[in-house]
């Protein structure tokens, strides 16, 4: 029953929990002794429960979290629910266990849930009769989001993690950030989507948290679409940093902001990033934009146009052409000036005006090789070869430059620069001797 082997989606044996245990609020001053004792007792019980559950089920467990009191749960789920006013049991310890059912092959989803939830409940009762466990399948959490039911997400955002493979932290910070964004810009926000490795079943405690926000720009009158995007994007990213500070979650929150018209254009152009987002993304908020597109993609109704296919086909050849052009530029410009200008600097330090690029190898050889005997001929040869190569590329005599040739140019340039630095020291020493003699 226990899933001790490593699954494809959660490599639990290599994963350390984001927060192995719930911290005591030791920084709160003047706590009565009985309160401190009660907190410590709860912590010890929760640690026991967490350890037993994780040891029993291994990488089936996505996360374990201490939920807020029952009244807060009811308020979060249904703010106007009169039952929320009922008296709650103050001794109850509400715990949520999230189960990964994405890789289960030996049993159905319902069988997995029933077996694990019953054993987890039993473990909770054995540790303390007041531990009230609530289990949720990861696919059910996502399905709730597809159905625009976000109650469980809100509870997780108010919970304290006991064990986390990365998913609980992502849901927590994304839910809080989403609430901040919608409260500020509800008129413009069409969709808020969690995406990336987290929704692809590759979450780790250090995974970046990727969220996508689609902004409605179809009714913008007071500013341009680009101004709207830039203005909202800056504020939304700032809110992301604020959400990180509020939650204490250190994982990087990657926020991508799209205006609706750009998103639609990318969809028509068959942008692979947008297709991946629609396929794997989970909406934490949607006003009827994201989910219809996601369903259409599942049905095979969103297909790239012939123009998009031709564009993607030509992209490969264009990329190779750019690489070749860049290689030529690096050989013709970068490595060329990397050794030419220091050579001219050495001549200037010697006391002569800088020669033209074409004359530099000859002047360098005449002064430092033949006259002063301070430089070996091989370094003049490196400079001369580079000048000749640039001339051939510039005049079209050499059409392409290979990566091997560029590697050799870089190696020679590094060797040349090292020797020129030594030459500088020798020139300065010679000047000092002349000054002393004078």
């Amino acid at each position: 029953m226990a899933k001790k082997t490593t699954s494809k989606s959660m490599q639990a044996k290599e994963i350390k929990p984001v927060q192995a245990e719930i911290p005591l609020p030791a920084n709160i001053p003047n706590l009565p002794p009985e309160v401190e004792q009660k907190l410590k007792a709860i912590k010890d019980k929760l640690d026991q429960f967490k350890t037993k559950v994780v040891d029993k089920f291994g990488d089936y467990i996505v996360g374990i979290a201490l939920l807020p009191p029952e009244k807060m749960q009811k308020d979060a789920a249904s703010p106007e629910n009169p039952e929320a006013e009922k008296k709650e049991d103050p001794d109850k310890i509400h715990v949520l266990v999230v189960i990964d059912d994405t890789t289960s092959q030996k049993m159905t989803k319902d069988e997995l849930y029933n077996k694990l939830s019953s054993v987890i409940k039993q473990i909770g009762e054995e540790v303390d009769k007041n531990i009230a466990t609530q289990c949720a399948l990861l696919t059910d959490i996502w399905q709730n989001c597809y159905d625009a039911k976000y109650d469980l997400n809100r509870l997780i955002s108010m919970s304290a993690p006991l064990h986390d493979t990365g998913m609980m932290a992502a849901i927590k910070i994304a839910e809080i950030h989403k609430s901040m964004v919608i409260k500020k810009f509800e008129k413009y926000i069409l969709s808020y989507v969690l995406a990336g490795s987290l929704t692809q079943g590759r979450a780790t405690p250090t995974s970046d948290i990727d969220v996508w926000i689609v902004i409605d720009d179809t009714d913008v009158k007071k500013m341009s679409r680009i101004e709207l995007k830039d203005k909202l994007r800056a504020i939304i990213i700032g809110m992301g940093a604020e959400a990180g500070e509020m939650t204490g979650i250190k994982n990087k929150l990657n926020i991508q902001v799209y205006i609706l018209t750009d998103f639609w254009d990318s969809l028509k152009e068959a942008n692979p990033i947008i297709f991946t987002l629609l396929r794997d993304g989970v909406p934490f908020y949607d006003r009827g934009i994201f989910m219809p597109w996601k369903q259409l993609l599942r049905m095979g109704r969103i297909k790239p146009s012939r123009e998009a296919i031709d564009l993607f086909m030509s992209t490969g050849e264009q990329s190779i052409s750019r690489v070749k052009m860049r290689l030529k530029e690096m050989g013709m410009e970068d490595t060329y000036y990397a050794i030419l200008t220091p050579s001219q600097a050495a001549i200037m330090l010697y006391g002569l005006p800088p020669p033209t690029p074409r004359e530099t190898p000859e002047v360098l050889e005449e002064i430092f090789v033949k006259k002063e005997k301070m430089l070996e001929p091989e370094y003049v040869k490196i400079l001369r070869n580079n000048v000749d190569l640039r001339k051939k590329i510039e005049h079209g005599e050499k059409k392409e430059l290979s990566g091997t040739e560029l590697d050799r140019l870089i190696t020679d340039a590094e060797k040349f620069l090292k020797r020129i630095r030594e030459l500088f020291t020798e020139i300065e020493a010679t000047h000092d001797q002349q000054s002393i003699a004078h």
Side-chain angles (χ1 to χ4, degrees):
M1 179 62 216
K3 187 178 178 183
K4 294 296 184 182
T5 58
T6 304
S7 72
K8 294 180 181 178
S9 62
M10 301 291 172
Q11 299 178 346
K13 289 186 178 180
E14 301 175 3
I15 291 175
K16 295 180 180 179
V18 171
Q19 186 173 349
E21 52 186 42
I22 184 170
L24 286 176
N27 59 331
I28 300 178
N30 303 321
L31 276 178
E34 61 273 15
V35 174
E36 287 186 0
Q37 187 176 0
K38 183 176 180 181
L39 285 173
K40 187 177 185 305
I42 293 175
K43 175 185 176 297
D44 291 341
K45 291 171 183 175
L46 290 173
D47 283 345
Q48 291 179 41
F49 172 77
K50 175 206 71 177
T51 301
K52 289 185 177 182
V53 170
V54 174
D55 287 346
K56 180 73 173 174
F57 298 114
D59 54 355
Y60 272 122
I61 306 303
V62 172
I64 304 174
L66 175 64
L67 293 176
E70 193 173 8
K71 183 180 185 303
M72 290 182 64
Q73 294 185 41
K74 291 179 179 178
D75 289 347
S78 178
E80 299 179 358
N81 187 354
E83 292 184 3
E85 301 299 325
K86 290 182 180 179
K87 186 177 180 180
E88 61 187 74
D89 185 348
D91 295 325
K92 282 291 183 185
I93 305 171
H94 299 277
V95 179
L96 173 68
V97 180
V98 179
I99 300 167
D100 179 15
D101 60 319
T102 57
T103 58
S104 178
Q105 298 177 349
K106 295 182 179 180
M107 61 186 83
T108 65
K109 195 167 98 170
D110 290 339
E111 288 174 339
L112 179 69
Y113 176 83
N114 292 332
K115 284 192 175 184
L116 266 66
S117 61
S118 62
V119 176
I120 289 170
K121 181 180 180 182
Q122 184 179 351
I123 293 173
E125 292 172 349
E126 289 173 357
V127 173
D128 189 299
K129 60 181 180 61
N130 288 316
I131 292 181
T133 60
Q134 177 181 346
C135 294
L137 298 177
L138 187 58
T139 55
D140 284 344
I141 294 177
W142 294 161
Q143 188 59 51
N144 283 347
C145 293
Y146 298 150
D147 296 336
K149 299 174 182 177
Y150 312 116
D151 298 344
L152 194 51
N153 286 9
R154 295 192 191 101
L155 288 180
I156 292 174
S157 71
M158 296 187 293
S159 69
L162 307 175
H163 170 82
D164 188 13
T165 59
M167 189 63 72
M168 305 293 275
I171 295 175
K172 187 183 187 77
I173 192 172
E175 181 66 24
I176 289 173
H177 181 241
K178 176 202 77 175
S179 300
M180 297 167 67
V181 170
I182 292 175
K183 183 177 180 180
K184 181 75 174 177
F185 302 115
E186 183 175 8
K187 175 184 175 183
Y188 296 103
I189 306 303
L190 292 175
S191 295
Y192 186 105
V193 183
L194 180 68
S197 60
L198 291 155
T199 57
Q200 294 168 357
R202 298 184 287 109
T204 70
T206 57
S207 291
D208 289 353
I209 301 166
D210 299 303
V211 297
W212 293 66
I213 301 172
V214 182
I215 297 171
D216 185 2
D217 64 324
T218 58
D219 192 29
V220 180
K221 297 176 182 176
K222 296 183 179 180
M223 63 184 82
S224 69
R225 290 183 168 90
I226 299 300
E227 287 174 330
L228 175 71
K229 177 185 175 180
D230 291 344
K231 182 178 180 180
L232 268 62
R233 183 177 181 274
I235 299 173
I236 288 170
I237 290 176
M239 289 178 172
E242 187 178 344
E245 292 176 2
M246 289 172 57
T247 59
I249 294 170
K250 303 301 182 183
N251 301 56
K252 183 180 179 182
L253 185 64
N254 287 329
I255 303 168
Q256 301 292 334
V257 178
Y258 270 81
I259 55 176
L260 181 59
T261 50
D262 286 349
F263 196 94
W264 175 241
D265 287 340
S266 297
L267 192 61
K268 290 189 296 182
E269 294 167 2
N271 187 314
I273 296 175
I274 300 301
F275 271 56
T276 302
L277 171 65
L278 287 178
R279 186 191 66 212
D280 300 327
V282 177
F284 277 33
Y285 176 80
D286 185 34
R287 283 167 52 188
I289 293 295
F290 182 82
M291 280 309 298
W293 283 343
K294 186 180 183 75
Q295 296 291 7
L296 287 170
L297 182 65
R298 284 177 175 175
M299 296 164 61
R301 301 297 294 274
I302 297 181
K303 297 178 181 179
S305 64
R306 181 66 194 182
E307 291 78 6
I309 294 171
D310 292 340
L311 176 64
F312 272 65
M313 186 62 194
S314 63
T315 298
E317 296 174 356
Q318 292 172 3
S319 298
I320 294 298
S321 297
R322 282 197 301 271
V323 170
K324 290 180 178 179
M325 182 62 69
R326 184 62 186 135
L327 285 174
K328 286 172 62 176
E329 287 176 359
M330 286 189 284
M332 183 176 168
E333 302 294 336
D334 298 340
T335 59
Y336 171 72
Y337 284 109
I339 63 176
L340 174 69
T341 50
S343 302
Q344 293 172 321
I347 294 170
M348 293 164 65
L349 182 62
Y350 183 76
L352 297 176
T356 64
R358 195 166 295 179
E359 296 171 341
T360 300
E362 283 70 26
V363 175
L364 195 72
E365 182 179 33
E366 189 66 32
I367 296 173
F368 297 113
V369 176
K370 295 180 179 179
K371 181 180 178 181
E372 301 291 347
K373 302 189 184 307
M374 300 170 70
L375 187 66
E376 297 76 17
E378 63 178 298
Y379 294 99
V380 176
K381 183 179 179 182
I382 290 175
L383 177 59
R384 187 172 281 121
N385 288 342
N386 213 317
V387 171
D388 291 342
L389 176 67
R390 185 181 192 275
K391 188 192 304 181
K392 290 178 181 179
I393 294 175
E394 190 175 18
H395 294 166
E397 297 175 26
K398 188 172 180 59
K399 302 296 184 182
E400 294 182 0
L401 188 68
S402 69
T404 303
E405 290 175 307
L406 183 61
D407 285 341
R408 181 178 54 78
L409 288 172
I410 293 172
T411 302
D412 287 347
E414 290 174 340
K415 178 181 176 182
F416 185 90
L417 288 173
K418 183 180 178 181
R419 184 65 184 89
I420 287 294
R421 290 191 193 98
E422 295 171 356
L423 179 62
F424 263 61
T425 303
E426 294 173 24
I427 296 171
E428 289 171 343
T430 302
H431 284 333
D432 291 343
Q433 291 173 4
Q434 291 173 351
S435 297
I436 293 171
H438 179 71

